[in-house]
Amino acid sequence: MFRETLSKRGVRVVTGLGKYFRQADKNRNGLLPKTAFKEALKVFHLEMPEEDFESLWLILDDNKSNKVDYGEFTHAVFGEMNEYRKAFVRKVSFAYMKLDFNKTGSVPMVDIRKCYCAK
C-alpha cells in the first residue's frame, strides 16, 4: 500500500523526503528517530493508520535502533537498483571523487573549473 502511494506521487516526493530527512537530521548521522520519520511522512501527506505505520517501522528499523536510515528507507520502498542505474551511479561517484580534491564531501566551483572546460 505504502509503496503504491509513493510510486503514484513520483520522484519529487522521494527527493523531497530526502531533502527533508537531511534537514531534520540535526546531528548529521544519516538517521532519523521514529517521531521525526513520522513527521516527515505527515509533511508529505503520506499519513497512514497507526497500525500500518508500526508495521512499516518494524520493517525499516530491523536492527531495533529506534532510528531509520534514509538509504534503507528508499531501498525498502523501491528495492534494488537495476544494473544500468548502478553503473550510472558508479560513473557519477567516480567523477565526483576526481573533482573532490580535498576529500571534503563538497566541490567548490573553483575546483570544477580546474577540471572542466565547456568550450
Side-chain angles (χ1 to χ4, degrees), residues 91-116:
K91 287 178 186 176
V92 170
S93 297
F94 180 72
Y96 186 84
M97 287 188 302
K98 288 188 122 198
L99 290 172
D100 188 10
F101 297 118
N102 302 321
K103 307 298 181 230
T104 61
S106 64
V107 181
M109 191 56 73
V110 173
D111 289 349
I112 293 172
R113 285 188 184 115
K114 290 178 187 173
C115 296
Y116 181 75

Side-chain angles (χ1 to χ4, degrees), residues 2 4 15 33 38 42 46 49 58 77-78 102 109 113:
F2 185 73
E4 291 86 26
T15 55
K38 194 173 203 174
K42 188 176 182 180
L46 296 168
L58 286 173
V77 172
F78 297 107
N102 302 321
M109 191 56 73
R113 285 188 184 115

